[in-house]
Amino acid sequence: MNKDLEAEKRLAALEAVKFLKPGMIVGLGTGSTARYAIEAIGEMVKEGLSIRCIPTSNATKELAQGLGIAIIDINSIDAIDITIDGADEFTEDLLLIKGGGGALLKEKIVASLTKKEIIIADSSKKVAVLGKFKLPIEVIPFAAGHILNQLKLLKGPATIRKVSGKPFFTDEGNYILDADFDSIKFPALLSAELNNMIGIVAHGLFINLASTVIMGINGATETFNKV
Ligand code: 5RP
């Protein structure tokens, strides 16, 4: 069956924005799915919803400002009420791979400060085991070669992400390495190993960060909650 993934993304986004309430501090994700939520929030703001938002990338900041959404500095607040963000892969028990759009560092910081992290996704993102999607790893360019060697030893051979033949730079001026672990059977273990590698700024394994995943499927939505 040919699925309309764009419609699924939109449905998930529209379901997620129902959680927003006046006065909330809201994290805004990055990517094509998060975009649907940001556009819907823009409409809600035009209709009078008063919220303050924290973007997870320069692109999201620009989009949100263009829609009249109030942006605040993350260092001016203690916590974020709700964040709505996308994912590259998720499991039913809310493990995620993120960073396909290269915004994983700010996405992870924002998620770590968020009380309710809502992930929105189309049905192609749901997997039994993470790892088919290459794991994005943000590294300081100075350390890239050494991290590539260490990833090979960890059985996750990686390449430096390129755009039009040139290295892709994150908003913070770092590289993204895309690591092919194929099937990540022990995500928490891998996450801990990557956290210990000097030169890695952030990696795309999000563990214990999502509260809910809302997935669009067959003209409806399905919700997976933290147990
Ligand atoms: C960006 C991300 C995105 O949430 C992820 O890549 C999903 O993007 P899309 O909604 O375009 O499929 O982690 O860094």
Side-chain angles (χ1 to χ4, degrees):
M1 195 177 74
N2 238 348
K3 290 184 173 175
D4 185 347
L5 299 182
E6 289 306 310
E8 291 184 356
K9 290 179 191 187
R10 197 165 169 277
L11 268 178
L14 295 182
E15 197 58 30
V17 298
K18 290 181 186 167
F19 286 89
L20 301 187
K21 295 202 170 62
M24 278 185 165
I25 295 170
V26 178
L28 302 176
T30 296
S32 59
T33 317
R35 186 183 187 94
Y36 285 113
I38 298 163
E39 286 171 350
I41 292 169
E43 289 301 315
M44 291 161 81
V45 165
K46 272 194 197 97
E47 284 161 19
L49 177 72
S50 167
I51 54 172
R52 292 172 298 155
C53 294
I54 295 170
T56 53
S57 63
N58 294 343
T60 288
K61 184 177 181 185
E62 213 173 287
L63 172 66
Q65 282 176 328
L67 294 168
I69 298 171
I71 299 297
I72 52 163
D73 179 355
I74 192 167
N75 289 305
S76 70
I77 51 101
D78 294 324
I80 298 165
D81 294 299
I82 286 184
T83 291
I84 303 176
D85 202 351
D88 300 298
E89 280 186 351
F90 74 92
T91 64
E92 277 191 18
D93 48 356
L94 309 194
L95 300 167
L96 314 174
I97 286 185
K98 285 184 53 54
L104 64 156
L105 175 57
K106 282 192 199 151
E107 288 173 340
K108 210 171 214 180
I109 295 167
V110 165
S112 73
L113 293 168
T114 294
K115 294 177 200 160
K116 186 173 177 70
E117 174 87 8
I118 304 177
I119 298 299
I120 50 177
D122 63 68
S123 59
S124 72
K125 306 283 182 67
K126 183 166 172 281
V127 297
V129 180
L130 297 177
K132 272 274 162 286
F133 191 92
K134 290 189 183 144
L135 183 67
I137 301 174
E138 180 161 349
V139 302
I140 303 281
F142 181 76
H146 294 286
I147 300 290
L148 285 170
N149 291 341
Q150 290 177 63
L151 289 172
K152 211 186 220 172
L153 294 175
L154 267 185
K155 307 244 176 323
T159 51
I160 296 175
R161 187 179 296 178
K162 295 202 168 136
V163 176
S164 311
K166 298 207 173 104
F168 167 86
F169 285 97
T170 66
D171 284 353
E172 284 71 37
N174 296 317
Y175 285 168
I176 298 284
L177 308 183
D178 292 300
D180 187 1
F181 285 96
D182 186 40
S183 170
I184 302 175
K185 297 205 178 63
F186 304 103
L189 197 64
L190 178 59
S191 171
E193 281 182 290
L194 297 174
N195 286 343
N196 276 337
M197 283 191 199
I198 311 297
I200 290 182
V201 183
H203 60 77
L205 280 173
F206 280 47
I207 295 170
N208 288 330
L209 286 172
S211 317
T212 298
V213 175
I214 301 176
M215 176 181 82
I217 183 159
N218 298 332
T221 58
E222 207 174 311
T223 300
F224 304 89
N225 285 311
K226 203 172 187 170
V227 280

